[in-house]
């Protein structure tokens, strides 16, 4: 009986030794999960265009809840930016509320500016990484295929339309930034000039505080984009009145730290990722871009 008892204890100990790591692994996976990822599309896109990005995320972080917001698709993406901010905000906020550890935000092209508006105006957001994927953060000034939907306009005189009340009802005009008509941009832009705090705005202090609740700002772009003009706008660089690109660190909005870029740099929380050879429409489906610029910030 004694030998049997010892053998029973030995077998029990062996089983326990095997079960403990398994139970530990199960408990670990139950406790530690990946933050939900929310994706906001760009001009003329829809949620269907982001299947590759969803696949990349789930291959790297299995089980991650990835939501591509299905709003303002295709031609509806021309609606005014503030209208889109409110619509996307209403769809995103419940996801945030159900994510106790926060969420990550990946925002592509025009969507990067939509997300800026959300982060500025939502005081209780819980965004950890804000990943801006080839977005015209400092504005757009370029004759690309996107603007040829208005064949009567060219780069040099688009301001005649954009800086009017009617023009500001179209999303593109909300961030059209003509360096040769700076005064018109500052006085007429109902969106970009406000979220950049480039003109007096009674909400600027509150919006800055809200925006700085993010943990990381990742700015992704590249010289072969072909749509964002100048491409450095994706990293807050922009033209002066001679159409010479002034990099972010020399821009007035950075030097004055009007909405927090300089603070993010001082915190070590602003990341620039530049990838050559990527056309604008391919950023979200390029696996190299994902691994080099996005993957590590979704932990």
């Amino acid at each position: 009986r004694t030998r049997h008892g010892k053998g029973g204890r030995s077998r029990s100990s062996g089983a326990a030794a095997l079960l403990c790591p398994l139970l530990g692994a199960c408990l670990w996976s139950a406790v530690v999960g990946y933050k939900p990822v929310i994706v906001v599309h760009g001009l003329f896109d829809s949620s269907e265009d982001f299947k590759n990005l969803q696949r990349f995320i789930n291959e790297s972080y299995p089980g991650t809840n990835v939501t591509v917001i299905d709003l303002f698709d295709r031609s509806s993406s021309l609606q005014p930016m503030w209208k889109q901010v409110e619509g996307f905000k209403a769809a995103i906020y419940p996801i945030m509320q159900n994510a106790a550890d926060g969420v990550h935000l990946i925002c592509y092209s025009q969507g990067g500016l939509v997300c800026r508006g959300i982060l500025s105006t939502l005081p209780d957001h819980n965004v950890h990484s804000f990943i801006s994927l080839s977005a015209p953060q400092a504005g757009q000034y370029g004759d690309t295929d996107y603007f040829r939907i208005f064949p009567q306009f060219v780069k040099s005189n688009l301001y005649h339309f954009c800086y009017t009340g009617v023009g500001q009802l179209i999303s593109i005009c909300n961030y059209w930034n003509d360096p040769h008509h700076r005064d018109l941009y500052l006085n007429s832009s109902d969106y970009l000039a406000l979220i950049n705090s480039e003109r007096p705005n009674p909400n600027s202090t509150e919006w800055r505080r809200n925006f700085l609740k993010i943990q990381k700002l990742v700015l992704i772009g590249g010289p072969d984009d072909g749509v964002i003009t100048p491409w450095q706008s994706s990293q807050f660089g922009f033209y002066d009145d001679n159409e010479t690109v002034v990099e972010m660190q020399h821009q007035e909005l950075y030097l004055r730290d009007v909405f927090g870029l300089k603070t993010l740099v001082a915190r070590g929380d602003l990341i620039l990722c530049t990838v050559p050879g990527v056309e604008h429409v391919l950023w979200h489906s390029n696996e190299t871009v994902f691994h080099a610029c996005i993957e590590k910030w979704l932990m």
Side-chain angles (χ1 to χ4, degrees):
R1 183 181 303 172
T2 304
R3 285 196 303 272
H4 177 75
K6 288 181 179 177
R9 284 194 296 273
S10 177
R11 285 192 296 272
S12 297
S13 299
L18 289 171
L19 283 172
C20 283
L22 292 174
L23 288 170
C26 291
L27 289 170
W28 176 258
S29 63
V31 172
V32 178
Y34 301 117
K35 293 177 177 64
V37 176
I38 302 168
V39 180
V40 174
H41 69 73
L43 188 65
F44 301 135
D45 297 321
S46 80
S47 59
E48 292 296 311
D49 299 319
F50 292 82
K51 291 180 179 178
N52 285 331
L53 180 58
Q54 288 180 279
R55 177 170 57 82
F56 299 154
I57 295 169
N58 279 299
E59 286 175 352
S60 294
Y61 304 112
T64 299
N65 180 7
V66 182
T67 304
V68 184
I69 306 298
D70 188 18
L71 285 174
F72 300 101
D73 294 355
R74 308 305 182 199
S75 61
S76 294
S77 63
L78 287 168
Q79 294 189 48
M81 293 292 283
W82 282 120
K83 182 177 181 179
Q84 294 193 49
V85 166
E86 293 307 312
F88 278 107
K89 186 193 298 184
I92 288 171
Y93 192 55
I95 302 173
M96 293 180 177
Q97 288 181 306
N98 289 322
D101 295 327
V103 302
H104 298 305
L105 206 52
I106 302 176
C107 309
Y108 167 64
S109 194
Q110 178 178 278
L113 287 174
V114 171
C115 290
R116 287 265 317 282
I118 294 171
L119 293 170
S120 297
T121 59
L122 191 57
D124 56 343
H125 76 75
N126 59 356
V127 172
H128 190 277
S129 295
F130 168 33
I131 299 170
S132 173
L133 184 58
S134 190
Q137 295 291 358
Q140 173 75 18
Y141 182 67
D143 182 20
T144 71
D145 288 341
Y146 278 25
F147 297 101
R148 293 182 188 126
I149 58 170
F150 309 117
Q152 69 269 38
F153 301 128
V154 295
K155 181 175 74 172
S156 60
N157 67 12
L158 189 58
Y159 76 93
H160 284 302
F161 175 72
C162 274
Y163 298 148
T164 65
V166 174
Q168 287 293 300
L169 296 176
I170 296 175
S171 66
I172 296 170
C173 289
N174 292 161
Y175 50 90
W176 185 257
N177 188 356
D178 188 331
H180 305 292
H181 298 90
R182 179 76 177 165
D183 56 335
L184 288 177
Y185 162 74
L186 291 175
N187 292 322
S188 304
S189 173
D190 288 338
Y191 189 75
L192 186 62
L194 291 176
I195 64 171
N196 278 353
S197 292
E198 293 175 288
R199 77 165 185 249
N201 174 11
N203 300 307
S204 60
T205 299
E206 179 187 354
W207 288 5
R208 183 181 187 276
R209 182 169 58 248
N210 295 341
F211 183 72
L212 283 172
K213 289 181 179 179
I214 62 174
Q215 301 299 305
K216 299 290 179 185
L217 171 60
V218 183
L219 301 173
I220 304 169
D224 301 302
D225 180 276
V227 169
I228 305 303
T229 312
W231 75 263
Q232 292 92 339
S233 179
S234 60
Q235 298 173 345
F236 285 100
F238 205 71
Y239 293 128
D240 63 14
D241 57 5
N242 292 316
E243 296 193 30
T244 300
V245 173
V246 178
E247 299 291 349
M248 175 183 69
Q249 290 86 346
H250 302 290
Q251 291 284 342
E252 189 72 13
L253 56 79
Y254 175 86
L255 294 171
R256 292 174 49 225
D257 203 23
V258 288
F259 63 89
L261 287 179
K262 195 172 184 180
T263 295
L264 287 169
V265 170
R267 281 174 17 189
D269 292 332
L270 192 152
I271 298 94
L272 304 181
C273 192
T274 304
V275 184
V278 182
E279 296 178 19
H280 186 71
V281 296
L282 300 178
W283 284 102
H284 50 72
S285 58
N286 186 302
E287 193 165 6
T288 298
V289 170
F290 175 77
H291 291 303
C293 302
I294 299 174
E295 183 179 30
K296 70 181 292 184
W297 307 111
L298 300 181
M299 288 293 291

